[in-house]
Short mmCIF file of all heavy atoms in Angstrom, two decimals:
data_model
loop_
_atom_site.label_atom_id
_atom_site.label_comp_id
_atom_site.label_asym_id
_atom_site.label_seq_id
_atom_site.Cartn_x
_atom_site.Cartn_y
_atom_site.Cartn_z
N MET U 1 -44.78 -57.29 45.88
CA MET U 1 -44.24 -58.09 46.96
C MET U 1 -42.90 -58.64 46.50
O MET U 1 -42.82 -59.28 45.45
CB MET U 1 -45.20 -59.22 47.31
CG MET U 1 -44.70 -60.14 48.37
SD MET U 1 -45.81 -61.51 48.76
CE MET U 1 -47.25 -60.65 49.31
N THR U 2 -41.89 -58.39 47.28
CA THR U 2 -40.56 -58.89 46.92
C THR U 2 -40.42 -60.36 47.30
O THR U 2 -41.18 -60.88 48.12
CB THR U 2 -39.47 -58.08 47.64
OG1 THR U 2 -39.58 -58.31 49.06
CG2 THR U 2 -39.56 -56.60 47.34
N ASP U 3 -39.44 -61.00 46.70
CA ASP U 3 -39.16 -62.40 47.05
C ASP U 3 -38.77 -62.51 48.52
O ASP U 3 -39.12 -63.49 49.18
CB ASP U 3 -38.05 -62.97 46.17
CG ASP U 3 -38.52 -63.26 44.75
OD1 ASP U 3 -39.74 -63.45 44.55
OD2 ASP U 3 -37.66 -63.28 43.85
N LYS U 4 -38.06 -61.51 49.02
CA LYS U 4 -37.65 -61.53 50.43
C LYS U 4 -38.86 -61.53 51.35
O LYS U 4 -38.91 -62.27 52.33
CB LYS U 4 -36.73 -60.35 50.73
CG LYS U 4 -36.13 -60.39 52.11
CD LYS U 4 -35.05 -59.36 52.27
CE LYS U 4 -34.30 -59.61 53.57
NZ LYS U 4 -33.14 -58.74 53.69
N VAL U 5 -39.86 -60.70 51.04
CA VAL U 5 -41.08 -60.65 51.85
C VAL U 5 -41.81 -61.98 51.77
O VAL U 5 -42.28 -62.50 52.79
CB VAL U 5 -41.99 -59.47 51.43
CG1 VAL U 5 -43.36 -59.56 52.07
CG2 VAL U 5 -41.32 -58.14 51.77
N LYS U 6 -41.88 -62.57 50.58
CA LYS U 6 -42.52 -63.89 50.44
C LYS U 6 -41.82 -64.92 51.32
O LYS U 6 -42.47 -65.70 52.01
CB LYS U 6 -42.47 -64.37 48.99
CG LYS U 6 -43.47 -63.74 48.09
CD LYS U 6 -43.35 -64.38 46.71
CE LYS U 6 -44.16 -63.64 45.70
NZ LYS U 6 -44.03 -64.22 44.35
N GLN U 7 -40.49 -64.92 51.29
CA GLN U 7 -39.73 -65.86 52.12
C GLN U 7 -40.00 -65.64 53.60
O GLN U 7 -40.12 -66.60 54.36
CB GLN U 7 -38.24 -65.73 51.83
CG GLN U 7 -37.84 -66.19 50.46
CD GLN U 7 -36.39 -65.85 50.12
OE1 GLN U 7 -35.69 -65.20 50.89
NE2 GLN U 7 -35.95 -66.28 48.96
N GLN U 8 -40.12 -64.39 53.99
CA GLN U 8 -40.39 -64.08 55.39
C GLN U 8 -41.80 -64.52 55.79
O GLN U 8 -41.99 -65.05 56.89
CB GLN U 8 -40.17 -62.59 55.65
CG GLN U 8 -38.72 -62.20 55.55
CD GLN U 8 -38.48 -60.72 55.72
OE1 GLN U 8 -39.41 -59.92 55.82
NE2 GLN U 8 -37.21 -60.34 55.74
N ILE U 9 -42.76 -64.35 54.92
CA ILE U 9 -44.13 -64.81 55.19
C ILE U 9 -44.13 -66.32 55.40
O ILE U 9 -44.70 -66.83 56.36
CB ILE U 9 -45.09 -64.43 54.03
CG1 ILE U 9 -45.31 -62.92 53.99
CG2 ILE U 9 -46.43 -65.16 54.18
CD1 ILE U 9 -46.02 -62.42 52.75
N LEU U 10 -43.46 -67.03 54.51
CA LEU U 10 -43.41 -68.49 54.60
C LEU U 10 -42.67 -68.94 55.85
O LEU U 10 -43.05 -69.94 56.48
CB LEU U 10 -42.79 -69.08 53.34
CG LEU U 10 -43.57 -68.79 52.05
CD1 LEU U 10 -42.81 -69.33 50.84
CD2 LEU U 10 -44.97 -69.35 52.11
N ALA U 11 -41.64 -68.20 56.24
CA ALA U 11 -40.90 -68.54 57.46
C ALA U 11 -41.77 -68.37 58.70
O ALA U 11 -41.75 -69.21 59.60
CB ALA U 11 -39.64 -67.69 57.57
N VAL U 12 -42.56 -67.30 58.74
CA VAL U 12 -43.48 -67.10 59.87
C VAL U 12 -44.53 -68.21 59.87
O VAL U 12 -44.85 -68.79 60.91
CB VAL U 12 -44.14 -65.70 59.84
CG1 VAL U 12 -45.26 -65.60 60.86
CG2 VAL U 12 -43.09 -64.62 60.09
N ARG U 13 -45.05 -68.53 58.71
CA ARG U 13 -46.03 -69.62 58.61
C ARG U 13 -45.45 -70.93 59.15
O ARG U 13 -46.11 -71.66 59.89
CB ARG U 13 -46.47 -69.81 57.17
CG ARG U 13 -47.51 -70.91 57.00
CD ARG U 13 -47.66 -71.34 55.58
NE ARG U 13 -46.42 -71.98 55.14
CZ ARG U 13 -46.17 -72.35 53.90
NH1 ARG U 13 -47.06 -72.14 52.96
NH2 ARG U 13 -45.04 -72.93 53.57
N ASP U 14 -44.21 -71.20 58.79
CA ASP U 14 -43.57 -72.45 59.20
C ASP U 14 -43.32 -72.53 60.70
O ASP U 14 -43.12 -73.63 61.22
CB ASP U 14 -42.27 -72.66 58.42
CG ASP U 14 -42.51 -72.97 56.95
OD1 ASP U 14 -43.66 -73.30 56.59
OD2 ASP U 14 -41.54 -72.89 56.17
N LEU U 15 -43.34 -71.38 61.38
CA LEU U 15 -43.22 -71.41 62.84
C LEU U 15 -44.40 -72.15 63.47
O LEU U 15 -44.27 -72.74 64.55
CB LEU U 15 -43.15 -70.00 63.41
CG LEU U 15 -41.91 -69.17 63.07
CD1 LEU U 15 -42.10 -67.73 63.55
CD2 LEU U 15 -40.66 -69.78 63.68
N GLY U 16 -45.57 -72.06 62.82
CA GLY U 16 -46.76 -72.74 63.31
C GLY U 16 -47.33 -72.13 64.58
O GLY U 16 -48.03 -72.81 65.33
N GLU U 17 -47.06 -70.85 64.82
CA GLU U 17 -47.48 -70.21 66.07
C GLU U 17 -48.68 -69.27 65.92
O GLU U 17 -49.15 -68.74 66.92
CB GLU U 17 -46.31 -69.39 66.65
CG GLU U 17 -45.12 -70.22 67.05
CD GLU U 17 -44.00 -69.39 67.65
OE1 GLU U 17 -44.30 -68.45 68.41
OE2 GLU U 17 -42.84 -69.69 67.34
N VAL U 18 -49.17 -69.07 64.68
CA VAL U 18 -50.18 -68.03 64.50
C VAL U 18 -51.08 -68.36 63.31
O VAL U 18 -50.66 -69.00 62.35
CB VAL U 18 -49.48 -66.65 64.27
CG1 VAL U 18 -48.67 -66.65 63.00
CG2 VAL U 18 -50.47 -65.50 64.27
N ASN U 19 -52.34 -67.94 63.44
CA ASN U 19 -53.23 -67.91 62.28
C ASN U 19 -52.72 -66.79 61.39
O ASN U 19 -52.61 -65.65 61.83
CB ASN U 19 -54.66 -67.62 62.76
CG ASN U 19 -55.65 -67.47 61.65
OD1 ASN U 19 -55.32 -67.05 60.54
ND2 ASN U 19 -56.89 -67.78 61.94
N MET U 20 -52.38 -67.09 60.16
CA MET U 20 -51.72 -66.11 59.29
C MET U 20 -52.62 -64.92 58.93
O MET U 20 -52.12 -63.92 58.42
CB MET U 20 -51.20 -66.79 58.03
CG MET U 20 -50.07 -67.77 58.29
SD MET U 20 -48.62 -67.02 59.11
CE MET U 20 -47.94 -66.06 57.76
N PHE U 21 -53.92 -65.00 59.22
CA PHE U 21 -54.79 -63.85 59.01
C PHE U 21 -54.80 -62.92 60.22
O PHE U 21 -55.38 -61.84 60.17
CB PHE U 21 -56.21 -64.29 58.66
CG PHE U 21 -56.31 -64.87 57.28
CD1 PHE U 21 -56.45 -66.23 57.09
CD2 PHE U 21 -56.23 -64.05 56.16
CE1 PHE U 21 -56.51 -66.77 55.81
CE2 PHE U 21 -56.30 -64.57 54.88
CZ PHE U 21 -56.44 -65.95 54.70
N ASP U 22 -54.16 -63.32 61.32
CA ASP U 22 -53.99 -62.46 62.50
C ASP U 22 -52.75 -61.60 62.26
O ASP U 22 -51.66 -61.90 62.74
CB ASP U 22 -53.84 -63.34 63.75
CG ASP U 22 -53.65 -62.55 65.02
OD1 ASP U 22 -53.58 -61.30 64.96
OD2 ASP U 22 -53.57 -63.19 66.09
N THR U 23 -52.94 -60.54 61.50
CA THR U 23 -51.80 -59.77 61.01
C THR U 23 -51.02 -59.09 62.14
O THR U 23 -49.82 -58.91 62.01
CB THR U 23 -52.23 -58.73 59.97
OG1 THR U 23 -53.23 -57.87 60.51
CG2 THR U 23 -52.74 -59.42 58.71
N ARG U 24 -51.68 -58.72 63.21
CA ARG U 24 -50.95 -58.10 64.33
C ARG U 24 -49.96 -59.08 64.94
O ARG U 24 -48.82 -58.73 65.22
CB ARG U 24 -51.89 -57.58 65.39
CG ARG U 24 -52.67 -56.35 64.94
CD ARG U 24 -53.52 -55.82 66.09
NE ARG U 24 -54.34 -54.73 65.65
CZ ARG U 24 -54.05 -53.46 65.90
NH1 ARG U 24 -52.99 -53.15 66.58
NH2 ARG U 24 -54.86 -52.52 65.46
N THR U 25 -50.38 -60.31 65.13
CA THR U 25 -49.48 -61.32 65.70
C THR U 25 -48.42 -61.72 64.68
O THR U 25 -47.26 -61.95 65.05
CB THR U 25 -50.26 -62.54 66.20
OG1 THR U 25 -51.25 -62.10 67.14
CG2 THR U 25 -49.35 -63.53 66.89
N VAL U 26 -48.78 -61.77 63.41
CA VAL U 26 -47.78 -62.03 62.37
C VAL U 26 -46.70 -60.95 62.43
O VAL U 26 -45.50 -61.25 62.38
CB VAL U 26 -48.42 -62.10 60.96
CG1 VAL U 26 -47.34 -62.12 59.87
CG2 VAL U 26 -49.31 -63.32 60.84
N GLN U 27 -47.11 -59.70 62.57
CA GLN U 27 -46.14 -58.61 62.67
C GLN U 27 -45.26 -58.77 63.91
O GLN U 27 -44.05 -58.56 63.85
CB GLN U 27 -46.83 -57.24 62.74
CG GLN U 27 -47.22 -56.70 61.40
CD GLN U 27 -47.76 -55.30 61.53
OE1 GLN U 27 -48.74 -55.06 62.22
NE2 GLN U 27 -47.13 -54.37 60.85
N TRP U 28 -45.86 -59.14 65.01
CA TRP U 28 -45.11 -59.30 66.25
C TRP U 28 -44.07 -60.41 66.10
O TRP U 28 -42.90 -60.24 66.47
CB TRP U 28 -46.07 -59.62 67.41
CG TRP U 28 -45.39 -59.70 68.72
CD1 TRP U 28 -45.12 -58.67 69.56
CD2 TRP U 28 -44.88 -60.89 69.35
NE1 TRP U 28 -44.47 -59.14 70.67
CE2 TRP U 28 -44.31 -60.50 70.56
CE3 TRP U 28 -44.86 -62.23 68.99
CZ2 TRP U 28 -43.72 -61.41 71.44
CZ3 TRP U 28 -44.27 -63.13 69.86
CH2 TRP U 28 -43.71 -62.72 71.06
N LEU U 29 -44.49 -61.55 65.51
CA LEU U 29 -43.55 -62.65 65.29
C LEU U 29 -42.47 -62.26 64.29
O LEU U 29 -41.30 -62.61 64.46
CB LEU U 29 -44.30 -63.89 64.80
CG LEU U 29 -45.16 -64.61 65.84
CD1 LEU U 29 -46.02 -65.67 65.17
CD2 LEU U 29 -44.28 -65.23 66.91
N ALA U 30 -42.86 -61.55 63.23
CA ALA U 30 -41.88 -61.12 62.24
C ALA U 30 -40.84 -60.22 62.89
O ALA U 30 -39.64 -60.36 62.64
CB ALA U 30 -42.58 -60.39 61.09
N ASN U 31 -41.28 -59.32 63.74
CA ASN U 31 -40.35 -58.44 64.45
C ASN U 31 -39.43 -59.26 65.35
O ASN U 31 -38.21 -59.05 65.37
CB ASN U 31 -41.12 -57.41 65.25
CG ASN U 31 -40.21 -56.35 65.83
OD1 ASN U 31 -39.50 -55.67 65.10
ND2 ASN U 31 -40.23 -56.23 67.14
N ARG U 32 -39.99 -60.21 66.07
CA ARG U 32 -39.20 -61.07 66.96
C ARG U 32 -38.13 -61.83 66.19
O ARG U 32 -37.00 -62.00 66.66
CB ARG U 32 -40.13 -62.07 67.66
CG ARG U 32 -39.40 -62.98 68.65
CD ARG U 32 -40.30 -64.05 69.19
NE ARG U 32 -40.45 -65.12 68.18
CZ ARG U 32 -41.23 -66.17 68.33
NH1 ARG U 32 -41.98 -66.30 69.41
NH2 ARG U 32 -41.30 -67.07 67.39
N GLU U 33 -38.47 -62.26 64.97
CA GLU U 33 -37.55 -63.05 64.16
C GLU U 33 -36.60 -62.19 63.32
O GLU U 33 -35.74 -62.72 62.63
CB GLU U 33 -38.34 -63.99 63.23
CG GLU U 33 -39.21 -65.00 63.96
CD GLU U 33 -38.41 -65.98 64.79
OE1 GLU U 33 -37.37 -66.49 64.30
OE2 GLU U 33 -38.83 -66.24 65.94
N GLY U 34 -36.78 -60.87 63.36
CA GLY U 34 -35.92 -59.97 62.59
C GLY U 34 -36.35 -59.79 61.15
O GLY U 34 -35.55 -59.37 60.31
N PHE U 35 -37.61 -60.07 60.85
CA PHE U 35 -38.14 -59.93 59.49
C PHE U 35 -38.77 -58.54 59.34
O PHE U 35 -39.97 -58.39 59.18
CB PHE U 35 -39.18 -61.01 59.21
CG PHE U 35 -38.67 -62.42 59.31
CD1 PHE U 35 -39.53 -63.45 59.67
CD2 PHE U 35 -37.35 -62.74 59.02
CE1 PHE U 35 -39.09 -64.76 59.75
CE2 PHE U 35 -36.89 -64.04 59.10
CZ PHE U 35 -37.76 -65.06 59.46
N TYR U 36 -37.93 -57.53 59.37
CA TYR U 36 -38.42 -56.15 59.40
C TYR U 36 -39.11 -55.74 58.11
O TYR U 36 -40.02 -54.92 58.13
CB TYR U 36 -37.27 -55.21 59.76
CG TYR U 36 -36.61 -55.62 61.05
CD1 TYR U 36 -35.28 -56.01 61.09
CD2 TYR U 36 -37.35 -55.68 62.24
CE1 TYR U 36 -34.69 -56.43 62.27
CE2 TYR U 36 -36.77 -56.09 63.43
CZ TYR U 36 -35.44 -56.46 63.44
OH TYR U 36 -34.86 -56.89 64.60
N GLU U 37 -38.69 -56.30 56.98
CA GLU U 37 -39.35 -55.99 55.70
C GLU U 37 -40.82 -56.43 55.75
O GLU U 37 -41.69 -55.72 55.25
CB GLU U 37 -38.64 -56.67 54.53
CG GLU U 37 -37.23 -56.19 54.30
CD GLU U 37 -36.18 -56.88 55.16
OE1 GLU U 37 -36.53 -57.76 55.98
OE2 GLU U 37 -35.00 -56.53 55.01
N LEU U 38 -41.08 -57.57 56.36
CA LEU U 38 -42.46 -58.05 56.48
C LEU U 38 -43.27 -57.17 57.41
O LEU U 38 -44.43 -56.88 57.13
CB LEU U 38 -42.48 -59.51 56.96
CG LEU U 38 -43.85 -60.13 57.19
CD1 LEU U 38 -44.75 -60.01 55.96
CD2 LEU U 38 -43.71 -61.58 57.63
N VAL U 39 -42.67 -56.72 58.49
CA VAL U 39 -43.37 -55.82 59.42
C VAL U 39 -43.84 -54.58 58.68
O VAL U 39 -45.01 -54.19 58.76
CB VAL U 39 -42.46 -55.42 60.61
CG1 VAL U 39 -43.13 -54.36 61.47
CG2 VAL U 39 -42.10 -56.64 61.44
N VAL U 40 -42.95 -53.97 57.91
CA VAL U 40 -43.30 -52.76 57.15
C VAL U 40 -44.30 -53.09 56.05
O VAL U 40 -45.27 -52.35 55.84
CB VAL U 40 -42.03 -52.11 56.56
CG1 VAL U 40 -42.37 -50.97 55.62
CG2 VAL U 40 -41.12 -51.64 57.69
N TYR U 41 -44.11 -54.21 55.36
CA TYR U 41 -45.02 -54.60 54.28
C TYR U 41 -46.45 -54.73 54.80
O TYR U 41 -47.39 -54.27 54.16
CB TYR U 41 -44.56 -55.91 53.65
CG TYR U 41 -45.38 -56.29 52.44
CD1 TYR U 41 -45.13 -55.72 51.19
CD2 TYR U 41 -46.44 -57.20 52.55
CE1 TYR U 41 -45.90 -56.05 50.09
CE2 TYR U 41 -47.21 -57.53 51.45
CZ TYR U 41 -46.93 -56.96 50.23
OH TYR U 41 -47.70 -57.26 49.14
N LEU U 42 -46.61 -55.33 55.96
CA LEU U 42 -47.95 -55.50 56.53
C LEU U 42 -48.60 -54.17 56.86
O LEU U 42 -49.82 -54.03 56.75
CB LEU U 42 -47.92 -56.40 57.76
CG LEU U 42 -47.83 -57.88 57.44
CD1 LEU U 42 -47.51 -58.67 58.70
CD2 LEU U 42 -49.12 -58.37 56.84
N GLU U 43 -47.82 -53.19 57.25
CA GLU U 43 -48.36 -51.86 57.53
C GLU U 43 -48.90 -51.21 56.25
O GLU U 43 -49.91 -50.53 56.28
CB GLU U 43 -47.29 -50.95 58.14
CG GLU U 43 -46.99 -51.23 59.57
CD GLU U 43 -48.15 -50.93 60.50
OE1 GLU U 43 -48.84 -49.91 60.31
OE2 GLU U 43 -48.37 -51.74 61.42
N GLU U 44 -48.21 -51.44 55.15
CA GLU U 44 -48.51 -50.72 53.92
C GLU U 44 -49.34 -51.50 52.90
O GLU U 44 -49.94 -50.90 52.01
CB GLU U 44 -47.20 -50.28 53.26
CG GLU U 44 -46.39 -49.35 54.15
CD GLU U 44 -45.01 -49.04 53.61
OE1 GLU U 44 -44.62 -49.62 52.56
OE2 GLU U 44 -44.32 -48.23 54.23
N HIS U 45 -49.41 -52.84 53.04
CA HIS U 45 -50.04 -53.67 52.00
C HIS U 45 -50.85 -54.82 52.60
O HIS U 45 -50.71 -55.97 52.16
CB HIS U 45 -48.97 -54.25 51.06
CG HIS U 45 -48.10 -53.23 50.42
ND1 HIS U 45 -48.51 -52.49 49.34
CD2 HIS U 45 -46.85 -52.81 50.72
CE1 HIS U 45 -47.55 -51.67 48.99
NE2 HIS U 45 -46.52 -51.84 49.82
N LYS U 46 -51.67 -54.54 53.56
CA LYS U 46 -52.41 -55.60 54.25
C LYS U 46 -53.32 -56.38 53.30
O LYS U 46 -53.41 -57.61 53.38
CB LYS U 46 -53.22 -55.03 55.41
CG LYS U 46 -53.64 -56.08 56.41
CD LYS U 46 -54.18 -55.47 57.67
CE LYS U 46 -53.05 -54.84 58.42
NZ LYS U 46 -53.41 -54.34 59.73
N ALA U 47 -54.00 -55.70 52.39
CA ALA U 47 -54.91 -56.39 51.47
C ALA U 47 -54.15 -57.34 50.54
O ALA U 47 -54.57 -58.47 50.31
CB ALA U 47 -55.71 -55.38 50.64
N GLU U 48 -53.01 -56.89 50.03
CA GLU U 48 -52.19 -57.73 49.16
C GLU U 48 -51.66 -58.94 49.92
O GLU U 48 -51.62 -60.05 49.39
CB GLU U 48 -51.03 -56.93 48.57
CG GLU U 48 -51.47 -55.85 47.60
CD GLU U 48 -51.77 -54.51 48.28
OE1 GLU U 48 -51.91 -54.46 49.52
OE2 GLU U 48 -51.89 -53.52 47.55
N TYR U 49 -51.26 -58.71 51.17
CA TYR U 49 -50.79 -59.81 52.02
C TYR U 49 -51.90 -60.85 52.20
O TYR U 49 -51.66 -62.05 52.02
CB TYR U 49 -50.34 -59.26 53.38
CG TYR U 49 -50.19 -60.33 54.43
CD1 TYR U 49 -49.03 -61.08 54.52
CD2 TYR U 49 -51.22 -60.60 55.33
CE1 TYR U 49 -48.89 -62.08 55.48
CE2 TYR U 49 -51.09 -61.60 56.28
CZ TYR U 49 -49.93 -62.33 56.35
OH TYR U 49 -49.81 -63.32 57.29
N CYS U 50 -53.09 -60.40 52.54
CA CYS U 50 -54.20 -61.34 52.76
C CYS U 50 -54.54 -62.09 51.48
O CYS U 50 -54.83 -63.29 51.53
CB CYS U 50 -55.43 -60.60 53.30
SG CYS U 50 -55.23 -60.05 55.01
N ARG U 51 -54.47 -61.42 50.35
CA ARG U 51 -54.72 -62.10 49.07
C ARG U 51 -53.66 -63.18 48.84
O ARG U 51 -53.98 -64.28 48.40
CB ARG U 51 -54.72 -61.09 47.91
CG ARG U 51 -55.11 -61.68 46.59
CD ARG U 51 -55.35 -60.68 45.47
NE ARG U 51 -54.49 -59.51 45.46
CZ ARG U 51 -54.87 -58.29 45.85
NH1 ARG U 51 -56.09 -58.06 46.27
NH2 ARG U 51 -54.02 -57.27 45.81
N PHE U 52 -52.40 -62.90 49.18
CA PHE U 52 -51.34 -63.88 49.04
C PHE U 52 -51.58 -65.08 49.96
O PHE U 52 -51.42 -66.23 49.55
CB PHE U 52 -49.97 -63.25 49.33
CG PHE U 52 -48.84 -64.23 49.27
CD1 PHE U 52 -48.40 -64.74 48.06
CD2 PHE U 52 -48.22 -64.65 50.43
CE1 PHE U 52 -47.36 -65.66 48.01
CE2 PHE U 52 -47.17 -65.56 50.40
CZ PHE U 52 -46.74 -66.06 49.18
N ILE U 53 -51.97 -64.82 51.20
CA ILE U 53 -52.23 -65.91 52.15
C ILE U 53 -53.41 -66.75 51.66
O ILE U 53 -53.38 -67.97 51.72
CB ILE U 53 -52.52 -65.35 53.55
CG1 ILE U 53 -51.28 -64.68 54.12
CG2 ILE U 53 -53.01 -66.45 54.49
CD1 ILE U 53 -50.06 -65.57 54.24
N PHE U 54 -54.44 -66.11 51.15
CA PHE U 54 -55.64 -66.81 50.72
C PHE U 54 -55.41 -67.61 49.44
O PHE U 54 -55.88 -68.75 49.31
CB PHE U 54 -56.78 -65.82 50.54
CG PHE U 54 -58.12 -66.46 50.32
CD1 PHE U 54 -58.74 -67.17 51.33
CD2 PHE U 54 -58.75 -66.36 49.10
CE1 PHE U 54 -59.96 -67.78 51.13
CE2 PHE U 54 -59.98 -66.96 48.89
CZ PHE U 54 -60.59 -67.67 49.91
N THR U 55 -54.70 -67.03 48.46
CA THR U 55 -54.57 -67.66 47.15
C THR U 55 -53.20 -68.27 46.89
O THR U 55 -53.06 -69.10 45.98
CB THR U 55 -54.83 -66.64 46.02
OG1 THR U 55 -53.79 -65.66 46.03
CG2 THR U 55 -56.19 -65.99 46.17
N GLY U 56 -52.18 -67.82 47.61
CA GLY U 56 -50.81 -68.27 47.34
C GLY U 56 -50.17 -67.55 46.18
O GLY U 56 -49.08 -67.90 45.74
N LYS U 57 -50.84 -66.52 45.68
CA LYS U 57 -50.34 -65.78 44.53
C LYS U 57 -50.21 -64.31 44.87
O LYS U 57 -51.04 -63.74 45.55
CB LYS U 57 -51.27 -65.93 43.34
CG LYS U 57 -51.42 -67.35 42.86
CD LYS U 57 -52.40 -67.44 41.72
CE LYS U 57 -52.61 -68.89 41.33
NZ LYS U 57 -53.61 -69.04 40.30
N ALA U 58 -49.15 -63.70 44.33
CA ALA U 58 -48.98 -62.25 44.45
C ALA U 58 -49.24 -61.66 43.07
O ALA U 58 -48.99 -62.29 42.05
CB ALA U 58 -47.57 -61.92 44.90
N ASP U 59 -49.76 -60.45 43.05
CA ASP U 59 -49.98 -59.77 41.77
C ASP U 59 -48.64 -59.58 41.08
O ASP U 59 -47.65 -59.21 41.72
CB ASP U 59 -50.64 -58.41 41.98
CG ASP U 59 -52.09 -58.53 42.42
OD1 ASP U 59 -52.69 -59.61 42.23
OD2 ASP U 59 -52.63 -57.55 42.95
N GLU U 60 -48.60 -59.82 39.78
CA GLU U 60 -47.36 -59.72 39.04
C GLU U 60 -46.75 -58.32 39.11
O GLU U 60 -45.55 -58.18 39.21
CB GLU U 60 -47.59 -60.11 37.57
CG GLU U 60 -47.87 -61.58 37.40
CD GLU U 60 -46.78 -62.48 37.93
OE1 GLU U 60 -45.59 -62.17 37.73
OE2 GLU U 60 -47.12 -63.47 38.58
N GLU U 61 -47.57 -57.28 39.07
CA GLU U 61 -47.02 -55.94 39.11
C GLU U 61 -46.43 -55.59 40.46
O GLU U 61 -45.66 -54.67 40.59
CB GLU U 61 -48.05 -54.88 38.68
CG GLU U 61 -49.31 -54.85 39.51
CD GLU U 61 -50.39 -55.79 38.97
OE1 GLU U 61 -50.15 -56.54 38.03
OE2 GLU U 61 -51.50 -55.75 39.52
N GLU U 62 -46.77 -56.34 41.50
CA GLU U 62 -46.21 -56.12 42.82
C GLU U 62 -44.87 -56.82 42.98
O GLU U 62 -44.07 -56.44 43.81
CB GLU U 62 -47.14 -56.68 43.92
CG GLU U 62 -48.43 -55.98 44.05
CD GLU U 62 -49.30 -56.69 45.07
OE1 GLU U 62 -48.76 -57.35 45.96
OE2 GLU U 62 -50.52 -56.57 44.97
N THR U 63 -44.63 -57.86 42.22
CA THR U 63 -43.44 -58.68 42.39
C THR U 63 -42.21 -57.92 41.90
O THR U 63 -42.20 -57.42 40.81
CB THR U 63 -43.58 -60.01 41.62
OG1 THR U 63 -44.78 -60.64 42.04
CG2 THR U 63 -42.40 -60.92 41.88
N ARG U 64 -41.21 -57.88 42.75
CA ARG U 64 -39.95 -57.23 42.39
C ARG U 64 -38.81 -58.17 42.69
O ARG U 64 -38.81 -58.96 43.53
CB ARG U 64 -39.73 -55.96 43.20
CG ARG U 64 -40.70 -54.89 42.83
CD ARG U 64 -40.43 -53.66 43.62
NE ARG U 64 -41.71 -53.27 44.18
CZ ARG U 64 -41.87 -52.70 45.33
NH1 ARG U 64 -40.86 -52.44 46.10
NH2 ARG U 64 -43.05 -52.36 45.76
#
């Protein structure tokens, strides 16, 4: 998970418009806000995303 994706996740969270485990709506909001990296990340790494939302931590080998 890149720092940019983390920032985009936190920005969507800060909107306060969605349960962050509702990944389809998170993707829709990310697209609306222009967070295209997050849209793609959710398609390819849903489990890692959910782990980040649940724990607040990303796997070190994923961080770039």
Side-chain angles (χ1 to χ4, degrees):
M1 177 182 300
T2 65
D3 286 336
K4 187 169 191 173
V5 170
K6 283 183 189 178
Q7 292 171 357
Q8 291 176 355
I9 291 169
L10 298 176
V12 170
R13 181 196 66 187
D14 290 346
L15 293 172
E17 296 181 39
V18 64
N19 176 331
M20 293 302 288
F21 289 106
D22 180 357
T23 57
R24 289 184 185 258
T25 304
V26 170
Q27 277 186 302
W28 184 86
L29 288 170
N31 189 58
R32 182 187 78 184
E33 299 296 317
F35 300 151
Y36 306 117
E37 296 85 0
L38 177 54
V39 173
V40 173
Y41 186 81
L42 281 168
E43 284 294 319
E44 299 173 356
H45 304 281
K46 198 169 289 187
E48 293 88 346
Y49 165 84
C50 289
R51 186 170 36 255
F52 177 72
I53 294 301
F54 190 68
T55 67
K57 298 177 184 176
D59 290 341
E60 290 303 318
E61 58 271 6
E62 293 175 26
T63 305
R64 292 181 230 147

